[in-house]
Amino acid sequence: MPQQRTLIILGSGPAGLSAAIYAARAQLSPLVIRGRQPGGQLSTTTLVENYPGFANGIEGPQLMEAMEAQARWLGAEILDGEVTGVNLQTQPLAIQMHDETLYCQALIIASGASPRPLGLSNERELYGRGVSVCATCDGFFYRGQEVAVVGGGNSAVVEALFLTRFATRVHLIHRRNQLRAAPSLTTRALSNDKIVFHWEQTVDSLLGDRKTGLTGLRLRHLPSGHIEELNCAGLFVAIGHVPNTALFTGQLELDKEGFIVTTGKSTATNVPGVFAAGDVQEPLFRQAITAAASGCRAALEAERFLSGLS
Ligand code: NAP
């Protein structure tokens, strides 16, 4: 007997779990499908200082565990697993999870975004062998070694600062001569003796192979084209994110970057009953709190849709 639900929420980051909290309180018995990265991007970060309510900040994984516990407490059901396909052209909407198909009247997509790769030829084969997208997960392995971080945003600087706990030196490689990161983080990074800045440089190639792991980087100085080699055991790529929307290509309106298009302040997509919340539809702010707020809006809009009010 196929499972028929009122509301399914895809994703368990701040957007998905906030939607679940509101939907559960509205008696919609939401089912949250956790997705590939349970807890979303915050589950791979360290101290979150800017989520309101925590006088001394809170660790990202701890915040996400609390959000999930709150959603469960209110009656949301949480399912481990990944969605492999969707059919949004029918009502009820069909959600495929490998061999099983779930049906629902309304869907909230909060599938977030994934780290953007550099796009270098051997990058994929060196993942887990020196190349990483998560200092929290992998930083410990580089105790007493030199590592590099590429990027100039908040993520890159947070990663670099975290890595100074383990590495002897952290090389921060940025393509411009100014960081995009918040002033408070920038000041902390600039005054940290362990961080060496490589301005106006990009990673031209990765040295090493599957056997040796990453052994170093070839850096290109953009204004002059000069190439230099940098020995390091680890590279942390922090150059932004791409939305997780491959499943929805051809079924939902996406913008040219792949983000789900929602209209104005609404979380409604171009398909009735399908709403999108968080980083999957929002390339500008991408904060835990803005994701949580859009999850709340999606749940309220789904509730109105389900009661035939919109
Ligand atoms: P981001 O702000 O988009 O920064 C991406 C960085 O990567 C930029 O410095 C960009 O350079 C660089 N970059 C992009 N493509 C590149 C390429 N192909 N090669 C080399 N460099 C490249 O992304 P993010 O740092 O992941 O942050 C995402 C969002 O999360 C932001 O809204 C951020 O504020 C938020 N966040 C907040 C915190 C916090 O503690 N508050 C922590 C982490 C993230 P340019 O500067 O030249 O564009």
Side-chain angles (χ1 to χ4, degrees), residues 50 151-155 158 174-176 180 238-241 285-287:
N50 52 9
N154 280 327
S155 300
V158 167
H174 182 35
R175 65 184 178 182
R176 290 187 299 127
R180 173 185 293 278
I239 60 168
H241 291 82
F285 298 108
R286 293 175 296 170
Q287 302 296 304

Side-chain angles (χ1 to χ4, degrees), residues 45-226:
T45 193
T46 50
L47 188 66
V48 178
E49 294 177 337
N50 52 9
Y51 198 87
F54 301 94
N56 302 306
I58 181 168
E59 292 291 320
Q62 205 186 333
L63 177 61
M64 296 323 299
E65 277 164 28
M67 278 192 205
E68 187 179 308
Q70 187 178 0
R72 281 184 197 276
W73 173 63
L74 289 165
E77 196 181 325
I78 316 261
L79 188 66
D80 271 330
E82 219 182 307
V83 173
T84 51
V86 292
N87 185 353
L88 307 181
Q89 317 308 319
T90 58
Q91 183 57 257
L93 308 157
I95 313 296
Q96 190 74 36
M97 290 180 74
H98 296 285
D99 296 340
E100 192 184 7
T101 306
L102 311 178
Y103 294 92
C104 58
Q105 291 165 265
L107 175 69
I108 295 176
I109 301 168
S111 49
S114 296
R116 184 193 304 281
L118 285 165
L120 297 172
S121 60
N122 54 349
E123 185 175 353
R124 193 177 266 273
E125 77 169 336
L126 288 171
Y127 268 118
R129 293 177 172 81
V131 177
S132 171
V133 291
C134 176
T136 322
C137 319
D138 301 328
F140 182 80
F141 300 120
Y142 299 94
R143 191 175 283 276
Q145 303 186 69
E146 290 200 22
V147 298
V149 176
V150 58
N154 280 327
S155 300
V157 173
V158 167
E159 301 263 282
L161 286 165
F162 179 73
L163 287 163
T164 59
R165 297 187 198 177
F166 311 102
T168 49
R169 191 170 292 163
V170 179
H171 299 273
L172 199 142
I173 299 150
H174 182 35
R175 65 184 178 182
R176 290 187 299 127
N177 60 5
Q178 197 182 3
L179 295 174
R180 173 185 293 278
S184 59
L185 286 170
T186 299
T187 306
R188 253 190 270 168
L190 290 172
S191 59
N192 190 311
D193 290 345
K194 277 193 170 180
I195 302 179
V196 180
F197 289 86
H198 299 259
W199 301 111
E200 298 180 302
Q201 310 230 12
T202 53
V203 181
D204 202 56
S205 54
L206 306 173
L207 306 175
D209 53 38
R210 281 180 79 84
K211 235 164 131 187
T212 60
L214 183 80
T215 56
L217 311 173
R218 205 164 273 139
L219 299 182
R220 177 184 296 273
H221 183 244
L222 290 169
S224 65
H226 177 73

